[in-house]
Amino acid sequence: MDAGKAIFETVDKLRQRRTAPLVLELDLTEGLTEGPPSDPLSMVLSMRKPRLSDVLSGLRRARQDSRVKGLVVKIGGSPMGLAMVQDLRQAVTEFRASGKPAVAFAETFGEFGGGTVPYYLATAFERVYLQPSGDVGLTGVAVEQRFVKGTLSKLGVGYEVGQRHEYKTAANTFTQDHMTEAHRESIGRIVESVTESLVAGIAEGRRLDPGKVRELFDRGPFTSAEALEEGLVDELAYRDEVYDEVKRSAGAEAHLLYVTRYAKGAAVRKLPQPMSDGVALVHGHGMIRSGRSGRSPLGGGGAMGSDTISAALRAARRDEQVKAVVFRVDSPGGSYVASDTVWREVTLTRKVKPVIVSMGDVAASGGYFVSMAADVIVAQPGTLTGSIGVYGGKAVLTELFEKIGMNTELVGSGANAGMFSSSRGFSPEQWERINAWLDRIYDDFVGKVAKSRDLTRERAHELARGRVWTGADAQANGLVDELGGLEHALALARGRAGLADDAPVRLYPRLNPLERLRGPDSSEDKSAALARLRVDAWGPLARLSAELGLPATGPLILPSWYVIR
């Protein structure tokens, strides 16, 4: 009898919990992950990180759900890129527009350090709470680059690099001892464009004059008491005080639920019919390389493999229930050949159904190459894109070898057989081949930009030359079509395909467990898009990287220090 009563009470509690009011919660202590895990190691490393697409879809659904009474977000210290933050800000703003309260809590916005971007995120919320011991590191925007040419020269290491053109500065850290005029011009404009976005968002969110916000940038960072006095936060409180207040306002029966759990639970309750039409979402994350996506166990993060992305696009293209494709690109670039492979698949897919590109924090160089053929390119104002250019060369270790008493001899057949050896520089004849290669890549890149973006070649070259643009400036110059995030791109895809506003979104490739186990029958099989853990993930420059202790890169690459956090 007691057991039966216990079971009845448990079932009753579960029933009440399913119908009770909800306060959605998002913990950003560990940040967010951009897309689904690309390999087993990524799956383990991202287990505790919520996925951006789940958060966005959950908040979109919650706007119309009468059970959801509010939102509370803990903003942590883990850095997130500016474009991802702008995606979140947009989702929070739309959630608030439904009349539901949203509050942000932080232990600190930078502990003896900068916290401008996390604080910018917080200003999208109705109320901002700060722990009494915390600070607001509102210090503005800075991009810093270190130049190691002098250090390398002392070691006897030189670099011979060609680039197209003056704004293609990825190798400058090795070839220069200071910023060139073009380099400083490009970085200066990026900093100002980002500052404009931050100032506008903070001013609107905190109801301050933009001039006042710039003045606060100059005076920060602020202690908690100073932040409260300046109107940067609404109240100083600890987590328990904030959460108790939020739950009281939602009602005694309300309980907390993570946004991602809410999104997945709602998706399970409203499973689409097996044959329902929808949108395919393909994620391309990390450095672009030939082969399959994955991650090196030696470090360096994930990589966008051309085989994996191409197979996913082919699968989406051939699926009759997929009426449009959203290609989410978050990549600094990499291999030219691999980028061109993906570009071709985007082009072929666009002939069959609409393709919308949604740019993440970075979609530059090769990341722009794979994006430019889409019907519509959507980027956030803080996205870093463009970098339409190319560079190539090698380190020359001749002097270093002499200093340490090392001698190398090369026996080859053919005048240029050893041209990529790091033990000697390029000959004039070899430089002719390098320059021909650089010119060919640059001409192809610019020509495809001109055709894709409906520009003259002269205008495309003017916008190219290796220059990096923010999404706001790229949109103003015609390299990007619209400003917005992933949800905006999905809405555009649904609209272009004539689908309902709530048409399902499916990650591609979609594989059942059996397909994952048996492997692909051919390169045309959708399971060919499976990623793998690559031990050889250093790429074509593995030998050079091993000699110098540097990561391998491709000729279309943006330095990682460009990302605004």
Side-chain angles (χ1 to χ4, degrees), residues 168 170 287-288 332-335 364-366 387 389-391 552-559:
K168 192 67 177 180
M287 189 176 295
I288 302 170
S335 164
S365 202
S387 192
V390 58
Y391 79 96
T553 61
L556 306 180
I557 191 69
L558 185 74

Side-chain angles (χ1 to χ4, degrees), residues 82 86 89 116-117 119-121 123-124 138-141 190-218 232 381:
L82 180 56
Q86 289 174 331
R89 286 186 100 258
T116 302
V117 173
Y119 178 73
Y120 167 68
L121 170 59
T123 60
L138 193 65
T139 57
V141 181
I190 289 171
V191 168
E192 181 54 31
S193 180
V194 169
T195 300
E196 290 168 1
S197 294
L198 297 179
V199 167
I202 293 171
E204 181 180 8
R206 301 305 299 173
R207 297 174 294 280
L208 297 171
D209 181 79
K212 174 67 173 179
V213 176
R214 286 184 179 264
E215 178 193 328
L216 291 170
F217 279 7
D218 292 335
L232 296 174

Side-chain angles (χ1 to χ4, degrees), residues 121-170:
L121 170 59
T123 60
F125 292 79
E126 183 177 346
R127 291 183 64 79
V128 180
Y129 293 86
L130 177 65
Q131 189 165 296
S133 55
D135 302 290
V136 176
L138 193 65
T139 57
V141 181
V143 175
E144 182 179 29
Q145 182 179 6
R146 291 178 174 86
F147 297 90
V148 298
K149 178 184 176 182
T151 304
L152 294 174
S153 295
K154 291 181 178 180
L155 296 174
V157 178
Y159 269 81
E160 293 188 355
V161 176
Q163 61 194 48
R164 301 292 184 274
H165 280 276
E166 68 272 28
Y167 294 103
K168 192 67 177 180
T169 58

Side-chain angles (χ1 to χ4, degrees), residues 231-251:
L232 296 174
V233 300
D234 295 290
E235 192 173 330
L236 304 182
Y238 289 95
R239 180 197 178 281
D240 60 294
E241 297 172 315
V242 175
Y243 278 62
D244 286 347
E245 183 175 329
V246 169
K247 286 186 281 188
R248 275 198 306 271
S249 64

Side-chain angles (χ1 to χ4, degrees), residues 10 136 155 183 200 216 234 255 352 412-413 419 445 471 491 554:
T10 301
V136 176
L155 296 174
H183 194 168
L216 291 170
D234 295 290
H255 67 273
V352 179
S413 175
M419 69 180 290
F445 200 165

Side-chain angles (χ1 to χ4, degrees), residues 260-389:
T260 49
R261 288 286 182 91
Y262 169 79
K264 292 174 182 177
V268 169
R269 289 193 299 272
K270 295 186 177 182
L271 281 175
Q273 296 299 315
M275 301 300 288
S276 61
D277 294 339
V279 175
L281 176 58
V282 178
H283 280 271
H285 175 73
M287 189 176 295
I288 302 170
R289 69 183 181 199
S290 295
R292 291 166 63 182
S293 298
R295 162 186 294 268
S296 167
L298 306 177
M304 184 198 310
S306 58
D307 286 355
T308 300
I309 300 301
S310 296
L313 290 170
R314 283 195 295 269
R317 187 164 72 237
R318 292 170 179 168
D319 191 330
E320 293 182 358
Q321 276 66 58
V322 170
K323 301 303 180 183
V325 177
V326 171
F327 184 18
R328 177 73 170 181
V329 178
D330 189 15
S331 170
S335 164
Y336 160 65
V337 174
S339 300
D340 193 41
T341 299
V342 176
W343 171 87
R344 175 65 176 174
E345 292 297 336
V346 173
T347 301
L348 292 174
T349 304
R350 183 183 174 184
K351 293 179 179 179
V352 179
K353 53 193 68 174
V355 178
I356 313 296
V357 158
S358 171
M359 292 180 166
D361 291 325
V362 179
S365 202
Y368 189 81
F369 200 115
V370 302
S371 303
M372 62 186 172
D375 290 282
V376 181
I377 299 176
V378 179
Q380 287 288 9
T383 297
L384 294 180
T385 187
S387 192
I388 302 162

